[in-house]
Amino acid sequence: MDRFRMIFQYFQSNSESVMNGICGLLALASVKMYTSFDFSCPCLPQYNMAYGLGIMFVPPIILFLCGLILNRQSLVMLEEWRRPPGRRTKDLAVIRYMCSSIMQRAMVAPVVWIIVTLLDGKCLICAFSGSMDPEKFVGFANVSTVQVQQLLAKVPCKDDELMRNNTSHKAVSRYLRCWSQALGWSILLILIIAAFLARWLRPCFNQATLLQARHWSNYIDIEKKIFEEACCEHSRLFAHKCILHFFESMRQEIKLHSFSLPREGEQAEGEEDLLRGITDQDQVNKLLKTWYYEKPPLDVS
Amino acid sequence: MDKFRMIFQFFQSNQESFMNGICGIMALASTQMYSAFDFNCPCLPHYNLAYGLGILLVPPFILFLLGFVLNNNISMLAEEWRRPQGQRGKDPAVLRYMFCSMAQRAMIAPAVWVSVTLLDGKCITCAFCTSVPVESLGNVSHLHLSQGDIQRVLARIPCKEIYNGQQLIANEVAIRYLCCISQALGWCFVLLMTTLAFLVRSLRPCFSQAAFLKSRYWSHYIDIERKLFDETCAEHARSFAKVCIQQFFEGMSTDLVAARCHLPRKAPADAGEAAEKLLGITDQGTMNMALKSWHRCKPPLDLHSPALPTGNGWAGEGQPPTHSSAPRRETAAYYSWV
């Protein structure tokens, strides 16, 4: 429990950590989505390419947009970008820094999806089986052009009756899967090298500007949070005062109307305060009715 | 347990987080409901469409309404909308803000249901199996079947065990085709929803940020004020009840003394608090009488004045507040009719 609480607190403490946490969760969600998605290639000549490439590229766009939506800092950045300068000038370097850090985090889940798709291979097999050269494969070499397109389109569907007896479909699948996995690993390697270089070479360029930009972007984020908390606290105190005034004004109105002498009760001080002079059913009903029909003005001066 | 308590506290600390939590739970519930639901396509020409589209569209509507029902703020919105103006003006921007934020959260579970349904493919397969393009995918010309017969055969596509149209169009081909269309629709729907959400979220700071901050502050204020008022009323009710009951017991005690012509027994000086708490009732018979009185003849809701000797102490709304008279002891003079 302690460990869990520590991890939880660590992630909450720093907003960058929160964003990294969300980024990791989205990447895991993207892998889970892919494994639970039931990929079924249509195995029809005109539809294969659209389906295969669609599954490879549309979910990454969705994941990218989700990454932007779920990241609190994107709102902070937009607000900072669009606010009127007023008495505080805008620093474009800060906005650029925030934008690049948001984009980098939002790109992780789509890249994970694309790489998992390529390493699995089903999408590429579905999309490009119809574009294979039939001469390269024994089973498709002596078939008419029209039929060969149909046959090639059915390669991804292993259980189709035409494919069950055709051993060349395995050759096409293996060929395409090999290309797909090679592409997947290459992209992964290039991205990791790029990330490595970016991180190692960054201190060589503009380190001071970077530190400033990072500091002020953190500051803007913290300032927004504290402002929201201060507003919450203020509205709580405002409401408290407003209600006390309301009870007081009800008490005075009742005193005015019922001409009763002030009570010399024997109750404890605490009870007296809490009752606030409202001591019978009619008074309580009047108070509740007034609360509904005539809420007090928003003015506690 | 600690883990749950911590997660619970995190969500409760911030009201928006709490609403987001409910929203997430409903989305998960909607996925769980779909996987637990036993989909049974009727495989009859006119029923398929109704069943398939019904399963696609009716549960989201239910989930949307449920999203509103489970949201605490709906009653707050209704109250603020319907209250008379009184001394405090109404701001339509605040009402719009509250409604929009509730509607956005309520839309998530239905959108999840529709996406999961479309990506799974069973509903669309069931609803549109009679519209499969048999001319391009199958062999309609070789078989001489009437339109009605073709429709009946095609309607059985989702039910593989009873499908008898392999010569017309292969079952797997039709199902793959429909599944592909369904999944394409599903991904397009998810993309559309995500793009809309992104636009709504990112265009707001560009246009109406100041108005937004104002509406957000006042909608939180209304919520907090309502909660504080309820708390104050609860405190008041507690004190009221305490005094009322104290007066009841004192009344009982005085009653008994008067009826039995006993001198009030003075508790020994060193009995202290315990004796005070006994409120003058110290034997079984008296206690039974007190309990019976409490049941048959509750005291009036009036901590000031002597009560009228009615059997039912419930002061109705029409009664004017009775004026208090000296001496100003906090006693309701109460006559037991036991």
Side-chain angles (χ1 to χ4, degrees), chain A residues 12 38 51 234 278 281-282, chain B residues 10 88 183 217 236 315 319:
Chain A
Q12 268 206 295
D38 182 23
Y51 186 84
H234 183 269
I278 313 281
Q281 189 187 16
D282 289 333
Chain B
F10 168 69
R88 185 190 290 188
Q183 287 180 347
Y217 178 86
H236 185 271
Q319 263 189 349

Side-chain angles (χ1 to χ4, degrees), chain B residues 8-297:
Chain B
F8 197 60
Q9 272 173 358
F10 168 69
F11 278 119
Q12 273 209 300
S13 62
N14 184 0
Q15 214 228 9
E16 280 205 14
S17 301
F18 183 65
M19 286 293 124
N20 290 343
I22 297 243
C23 197
I25 288 177
M26 278 198 57
L28 281 174
S30 123
T31 330
Q32 191 55 31
M33 252 169 71
Y34 182 78
S35 40
F37 175 64
D38 183 23
F39 188 89
N40 267 316
C41 194
C43 293
L44 295 165
H46 301 289
Y47 290 70
N48 277 5
L49 187 68
Y51 186 84
L53 289 184
I55 299 297
L56 181 66
L57 298 173
V58 170
F61 183 67
I62 294 172
L63 287 168
F64 182 68
L65 291 178
L66 203 61
F68 271 107
V69 163
L70 290 180
N71 194 335
N72 290 339
N73 296 341
I74 186 79
S75 56
M76 182 173 83
L77 171 65
E79 228 179 81
E80 179 63 17
W81 183 37
R82 298 301 302 168
R83 72 167 172 95
Q85 198 127 347
Q87 295 176 27
R88 185 190 290 188
K90 276 201 273 199
D91 188 358
V94 173
L95 292 170
R96 266 198 311 265
Y97 169 82
M98 281 161 57
F99 181 73
C100 283
S101 86
M102 278 194 281
Q104 280 168 27
R105 286 192 174 92
M107 291 279 285
I108 291 187
V112 167
W113 176 279
V114 171
S115 319
V116 169
T117 308
L118 288 173
L119 291 176
D120 189 36
K122 287 192 290 230
C123 274
I124 297 286
T125 305
C126 182
F128 295 106
C129 53
T130 47
S131 322
V132 168
V134 202
E135 301 80 20
S136 46
L137 298 177
N139 316 310
V140 70
S141 48
H142 291 216
L143 304 162
H144 304 285
L145 290 170
S146 67
Q147 250 336 85
D149 282 338
I150 293 181
Q151 291 290 302
R152 260 192 296 275
V153 168
L154 289 178
R156 295 205 186 112
I157 287 174
C159 305
K160 293 194 205 41
E161 322 76 54
I162 58 169
Y163 185 62
N164 56 354
Q166 281 296 112
Q167 292 82 29
L168 179 60
I169 177 171
N171 189 274
E172 301 85 34
V173 170
I175 287 188
R176 273 199 307 260
Y177 175 80
L178 289 164
C179 226
C180 158
I181 303 274
S182 173
Q183 287 180 347
L185 277 174
W187 284 116
C188 289
F189 176 77
V190 177
L191 181 64
L192 185 68
M193 289 284 117
T194 317
T195 311
L196 268 175
F198 174 73
L199 285 175
V200 162
R201 206 166 145 98
S202 50
L203 291 182
R204 201 233 315 131
C206 303
F207 293 108
S208 51
Q209 183 67 354
F212 167 76
L213 286 175
K214 201 172 75 152
S215 310
R216 195 170 68 170
Y217 178 86
W218 289 115
S219 87
H220 280 169
Y221 173 81
I222 290 170
D223 187 32
I224 288 177
E225 192 191 44
R226 196 169 80 130
K227 285 196 185 106
L228 275 179
F229 183 75
D230 287 342
E231 269 173 38
T232 317
C233 283
E235 265 170 29
H236 185 271
R238 199 184 151 72
S239 307
F240 198 111
K242 204 160 160 184
V243 173
C244 200
I245 291 169
Q246 244 174 356
Q247 288 178 354
F248 170 72
F249 273 99
E250 279 168 16
M252 282 297 312
S253 174
T254 324
D255 243 4
L256 294 163
V257 162
R260 293 182 192 167
C261 303
H262 286 167
L263 290 170
R265 244 180 328 137
K266 285 212 164 68
D270 55 352
E273 234 180 81
E276 271 179 33
K277 284 197 174 143
L278 283 175
L279 301 166
I281 298 183
T282 45
D283 64 77
Q284 188 184 25
T286 323
M287 191 65 219
N288 287 341
M289 217 151 44
L291 293 171
K292 235 194 297 195
S293 272
W294 182 253
H295 172 64
R296 291 219 186 131
C297 195

Side-chain angles (χ1 to χ4, degrees), chain A residues 86-266:
Chain A
R87 303 207 315 212
R88 185 191 287 189
T89 52
K90 280 197 270 202
D91 187 356
L92 283 175
V94 172
I95 297 176
R96 268 199 307 267
Y97 171 83
M98 284 165 76
C99 192
S100 80
S101 97
I102 291 166
M103 292 287 168
Q104 281 167 31
R105 286 191 175 92
M107 291 288 285
V108 172
V111 163
V112 166
W113 175 279
I114 291 178
I115 289 180
V116 167
T117 309
L118 287 172
L119 292 180
D120 190 33
K122 286 190 293 224
C123 275
L124 240 62
I125 295 176
C126 183
F128 293 108
S129 66
S131 326
M132 285 288 100
D133 181 8
E135 301 304 319
K136 284 199 194 147
F137 304 98
V138 171
F140 300 113
N142 301 323
V143 187
S144 69
T145 332
V146 171
Q147 271 222 311
V148 88
Q149 279 302 305
Q150 297 268 341
L151 275 179
L152 282 174
K154 288 200 192 294
V155 160
C157 301
K158 294 188 266 271
D159 298 327
D160 192 84
E161 49 194 347
L162 291 172
M163 283 294 120
R164 250 175 259 150
N165 302 326
N166 187 339
T167 47
S168 297
H169 82 271
K170 283 193 196 149
V172 177
S173 287
R174 271 202 305 267
Y175 179 78
L176 283 168
R177 180 169 278 132
C178 159
W179 269 106
S180 169
Q181 289 180 343
L183 198 59
W185 285 116
S186 313
I187 290 180
L188 188 59
L189 184 65
I190 291 173
L191 285 174
I192 291 198
I193 291 178
F196 172 78
L197 286 174
R199 217 164 147 95
W200 274 76
L201 296 181
R202 199 165 51 179
C204 306
F205 302 98
N206 285 335
Q207 181 67 352
T209 324
L210 177 71
L211 286 175
Q212 277 177 9
R214 196 161 76 172
H215 175 268
W216 289 114
S217 80
N218 266 346
Y219 170 81
I220 292 169
D221 192 22
I222 289 176
E223 193 189 45
K224 186 168 137 94
K225 265 192 219 144
I226 292 184
F227 180 74
E228 280 167 18
E229 276 172 29
C231 279
C232 267
E233 193 50 43
H234 183 269
S235 67
R236 182 162 232 278
L237 291 171
F238 198 112
H240 192 55
K241 270 250 147 83
C242 202
I243 290 170
L244 287 180
H245 277 209
F246 176 72
F247 271 85
E248 195 48 48
S249 71
M250 284 302 305
R251 186 208 288 230
Q252 284 173 5
E253 209 178 294
I254 285 164
K255 267 200 199 141
L256 225 58
H257 288 152
S258 55
F259 305 107
S260 53
L261 297 166
R263 282 185 300 112
E264 296 151 25
E266 285 180 5

